[in-house]
Amino acid sequence: MNTHTPRSRLVRNSRVLRRADVIIDAAARVFAERGYHGTSTQAIANVLGMRQASLYYYFPSKEAALELVCARGTDGFVEAAEAVVEGAGAPLDKLARLIAAHLAPIETKHDYVKVFINERRYLPTASRRRIGRKSRRIERCFEHVILAGIADGSIDPGTDARLAMLAVLGMCNAVINWRAADQTRDMDRIAAEFAKLVASGLNARRRPPTANP
């Protein structure tokens, strides 16, 4: 006979979910500090003050823990980027907002973002493909906006949209590995400066005139 009331089951499930969040937070912190190869499930257990075997209730292996951390590291990125693309605004304005949205999680979930940027290449193939689908959606958002700028004449028509997208994302993703003193700068300011640099490089109106032969 089941003696648990619906309310007691709800409370228990809530506690389990909160505990899971604490454990995944710890895994993210250890992966961010030590890297994938420098991390063990024992190291994660030590941070939590629990037995290593107890971790397997939440994830079956170090690889599974890495996938969970990487998945959480991408949470919100795609939704924020797609909302910018679907919203109003000129392409260069949207590109500035995409950059700001891409950098914002560095402040709110630093460890998760760092693990996603630096360690996802160590995921097993199937896991890497699942996580990679989100990355490609983000790439498409940036490329779409750059192509829109080329189409409306605000971005240099000679721009290779894919290379420009990779350059912008590469610049944004590098921030997570800056020195700690540089990372503590206001992320809104960094985003604004990046947007100015990108606009200066892509803006068709800033293109120097071609010399007559």
Side-chain angles (χ1 to χ4, degrees):
M1 178 177 176
N2 187 356
T3 59
H4 294 294
T5 66
R7 178 176 174 76
S8 67
R9 285 196 298 270
L10 183 62
V11 170
R12 181 179 181 279
N13 290 339
S14 178
R15 288 173 179 167
V16 169
L17 289 173
R18 286 198 300 271
R19 183 62 171 161
D21 284 340
V22 169
I23 288 170
I24 300 304
D25 282 348
R29 184 163 70 252
V30 178
F31 280 131
E33 291 173 353
R34 305 186 185 187
Y36 175 72
H37 292 299
T39 296
S40 65
T41 52
Q42 183 63 62
I44 298 170
N46 289 344
V47 166
L48 292 161
M50 63 189 295
R51 293 185 303 111
Q52 182 183 21
S54 299
L55 290 179
Y56 298 125
Y57 178 82
Y58 299 93
F59 46 76
S61 65
K62 184 171 80 166
E63 293 83 359
L66 180 62
E67 182 173 3
L68 279 171
V69 171
C70 286
R72 291 196 180 191
T74 62
D75 282 349
F77 273 93
V78 173
E79 295 80 3
E82 290 180 344
V84 170
V85 172
E86 293 166 5
L92 284 174
D93 291 334
K94 285 187 176 184
L95 191 54
R97 294 204 300 274
L98 281 175
I99 291 169
H102 199 75
L103 290 175
I106 291 176
E107 288 188 322
T108 58
K109 50 181 183 179
H110 182 276
D111 290 340
Y112 285 95
V113 175
K114 186 172 185 179
V115 173
F116 170 71
I117 296 296
N118 293 340
E119 310 300 327
R120 70 182 186 272
R121 63 186 180 276
Y122 300 120
L123 286 167
T125 301
S127 301
R128 193 165 61 250
R129 286 175 179 165
R130 282 192 292 272
I131 298 297
R133 283 194 283 270
K134 288 189 174 182
S135 296
R136 287 189 291 276
R137 285 172 65 186
I138 295 168
E139 289 178 359
R140 284 195 293 271
C141 288
F142 278 80
E143 191 168 358
H144 175 86
V145 168
I146 293 169
L147 286 169
I150 294 171
D152 77 359
S154 60
I155 291 178
D156 186 336
T159 299
D160 183 316
R162 179 159 181 79
L163 283 180
M165 171 272 292
L166 291 171
V168 174
L169 279 174
M171 181 172 67
C172 292
N173 290 342
V175 174
I176 199 70
N177 292 312
W178 283 2
R179 294 178 304 172
D182 292 319
Q183 283 188 26
T184 56
R185 295 181 183 180
D186 178 52
M187 204 56 63
D188 289 338
R189 178 186 165 196
I190 292 172
E193 290 296 322
F194 276 15
K196 285 199 296 186
L197 287 170
V198 171
S200 179
L202 296 179
N203 196 327
R205 286 181 285 278
R206 293 176 181 261
R207 189 181 186 192
T210 303
N212 291 325

